[in-house]
């Protein structure tokens, strides 16, 4: 049985799988770097971060003690007393426990998602992301076996029917001559993951681009091969409808005929809150990155959850960010 972690760009995802491969919610433990491209640059192959962990060492050593004691014997024929000595040797053990702090390298892919069993990062370039389109409309399961509970079904098209649906490939595992793929799903709750047979997916598509959205600074950074390719001011979700944070990917890219969205839009796997959908967010709350007909609102927080850019910036972004580009919303 082999588990391989396919390369994913650095990011924080608040969902993981337990040791049995089941899905569930878990708080993110990944710290965002100061440089948005830093993680991809400094750990191009393993995307590792250093954690300080305590290590307790117990040493048990033998202690030999020798005791010499006088023994008095009496000769009955002479009634004389003669002192002699006996030596007794005993071995005891003492235990000494010490605790020290060491640096431990933890693959970032295992921090974003808890990969079942041992995983090996097979990425070969900074910021690598692997996605795949649907090959067969089949069931997505909680664990890599045909009897595990079904949590979703693959689909050919995105919910707005603008593009073929892609899924982020996290890992693969071979069990009983069948290869299973662990994938991230564009569905609520954000970060849901599940298993499908590898044959259900099409060819792997690889990108080395990453979009980092910093909501606090109202800034978007585009990284390519670990280097900054573009920075731009942005508008994000309003206070009552914030742009959901987490690790996602670009699922579609298309020109817009509506001036409100500017000349171009990128669809993502990020989903806005239920409140935003109830307030009229279109397409089931799919969070997009697009231009705007109201440039004076950028930077700011004017949207239902989408990320707005000035029109010249969205044109620059779409020229570099392809389908499968990682999206990291801080």
């Amino acid at each position: 049985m082999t588990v391989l972690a396919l390369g994913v760009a650095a990011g924080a995802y608040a969902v993981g799988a337990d040791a049995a491969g089941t899905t569930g919610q878990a708080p993110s433990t990944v710290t965002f770097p100061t440089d948005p491209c830093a993680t991809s640059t400094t750990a191009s192959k393993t995307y590792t971060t250093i954690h300080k962990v305590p290590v307790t060492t117990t040493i048990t050593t033998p202690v030999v003690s020798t005791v010499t004691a006088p023994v008095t014997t009496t000769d009955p024929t002479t009634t004389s007393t003669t002192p002699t000595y006996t030596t007794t040797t005993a071995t005891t053990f003492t235990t000494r426990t010490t605790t020290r702090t060491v640096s431990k390298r933890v693959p970032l892919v295992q921090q974003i998602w808890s990969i079942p069993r041992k995983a090996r990062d097979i990425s070969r370039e900074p910021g690598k992301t692997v996605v795949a389109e649907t090959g067969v409309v089949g069931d997505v399961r909680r664990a890599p076996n045909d009897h595990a509970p079904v949590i979703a079904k693959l689909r050919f098209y995105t919910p707005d029917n603008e593009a073929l649906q892609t899924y982020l490939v996290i890992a693969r595992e071979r069990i009983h001559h069948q290869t299973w793929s662990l994938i991230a799903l564009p569905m609520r709750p954000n970060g849901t993951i599940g298993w499908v047979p590898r044959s259900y997916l099409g060819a792997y598509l690889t990108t080395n681009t990453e979009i980092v959205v910093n909501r606090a600074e109202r800034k978007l950074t585009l990284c390519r091969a670990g280097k900054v390719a573009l920075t731009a001011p942005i508008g994000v979700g309003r206070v009552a409808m914030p742009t959901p944070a987490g690790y996602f990917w670009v699922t579609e890219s298309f020109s817009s005929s509506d001036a409100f969205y500017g000349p171009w839009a990128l669809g993502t796997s990020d989903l806005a809150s239920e409140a935003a959908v109830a307030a009229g967010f279109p397409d089931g709350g799919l969070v997009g990155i697009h231009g705007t007909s109201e440039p004076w609102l950028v930077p700011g927080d004017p949207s239902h959850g989408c990320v707005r850019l000035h029109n010249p910036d969205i044109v620059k972004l779409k020229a570099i960010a392809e389908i499968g580009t990682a999206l990291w919303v801080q």
Side-chain angles (χ1 to χ4, degrees):
M1 182 179 354
T2 304
V3 180
L4 297 177
L6 302 183
V8 295
Y13 217 42
V15 173
D18 61 22
T22 58
T23 58
Q25 297 285 348
S28 172
T29 57
V30 181
T31 301
F32 292 104
T34 303
D35 179 355
C37 298
T39 307
S40 297
T41 303
T42 57
S44 61
K45 289 189 176 181
T46 58
Y47 305 113
T48 57
T49 54
I50 306 246
H51 293 269
K52 296 293 186 179
V53 294
V55 175
T56 301
T57 304
T58 301
I59 301 175
T60 302
T61 55
V63 177
V64 178
S65 58
T66 301
V67 179
T68 302
V71 177
T72 303
T73 58
T74 303
D75 187 347
T77 59
T78 61
T79 65
S80 63
T81 300
T82 304
T84 60
Y85 296 89
T86 62
T87 301
T88 303
T89 301
T91 302
T92 60
F93 295 89
T94 62
T95 301
R96 177 172 57 89
T97 302
T98 59
T99 301
R100 58 192 177 91
T101 300
V102 299
S103 296
K104 181 181 180 182
R105 294 185 178 273
V106 179
L108 190 55
V109 64
Q110 294 188 10
Q111 296 177 56
I112 302 171
W113 296 281
S114 298
I115 305 299
R117 307 174 183 90
K118 291 184 178 180
R120 180 171 64 88
D121 182 11
I122 64 171
S123 59
R124 291 293 180 269
E125 57 184 301
K128 178 180 176 181
T129 305
V130 178
V131 299
E133 296 174 351
T134 300
V136 176
V137 178
D139 294 330
V140 182
R141 299 182 181 275
R142 287 188 177 274
N145 68 75
D146 293 324
H147 304 290
V150 176
I151 60 176
K153 187 178 286 290
L154 296 178
R155 57 174 179 256
F156 281 124
Y157 298 99
T158 56
D160 56 5
N161 293 315
E162 291 286 351
L164 294 174
Q165 182 65 67
T166 55
Y167 297 88
L168 185 69
V169 183
I170 305 168
R172 69 171 181 259
E173 181 172 357
R174 187 165 181 81
I175 303 176
H176 304 307
H177 306 291
Q178 183 175 20
T179 300
W180 290 78
S181 295
L182 178 62
I183 59 175
L185 304 168
M187 62 179 288
R188 288 189 182 87
N190 280 335
T192 299
I193 61 176
W195 293 88
V196 295
R198 172 65 184 89
S199 59
Y200 284 12
L201 302 175
Y204 286 154
L205 308 174
T206 303
T207 69
N208 67 348
T209 48
E210 178 184 6
I211 297 172
V212 180
V213 171
N214 189 315
R215 297 179 299 174
E217 297 183 4
R218 308 291 193 269
K219 183 177 73 172
L220 178 147
T221 303
L222 173 64
C223 305
R224 179 167 53 186
K227 297 181 179 180
V228 175
L230 173 70
T231 59
I234 56 174
V236 295
R238 62 195 66 171
V239 175
M241 301 177 184
T243 304
Y247 182 79
F248 310 98
W249 67 99
V250 173
T251 58
E252 51 192 5
S253 179
F254 54 91
S255 61
S256 170
S257 58
D258 188 338
F260 179 79
Y261 297 105
W264 204 269
L266 303 179
T268 77
S269 63
D270 194 358
L271 290 170
S273 65
E274 295 286 0
V277 175
F281 198 106
D283 299 321
L286 289 176
V287 174
I289 303 173
H290 56 76
T292 181
S293 59
E294 303 170 317
W296 57 88
L297 297 179
V298 177
D301 52 357
S303 79
H304 287 82
C306 281
V307 177
R308 300 183 188 180
L309 288 84
H310 291 134
N311 289 343
D313 291 331
I314 188 64
V315 172
K316 294 176 184 177
L317 180 66
K318 69 98 173 176
I320 302 175
E322 55 190 318
I323 301 294
T325 294
L327 170 62
W328 187 2
V329 181
Q330 303 179 2

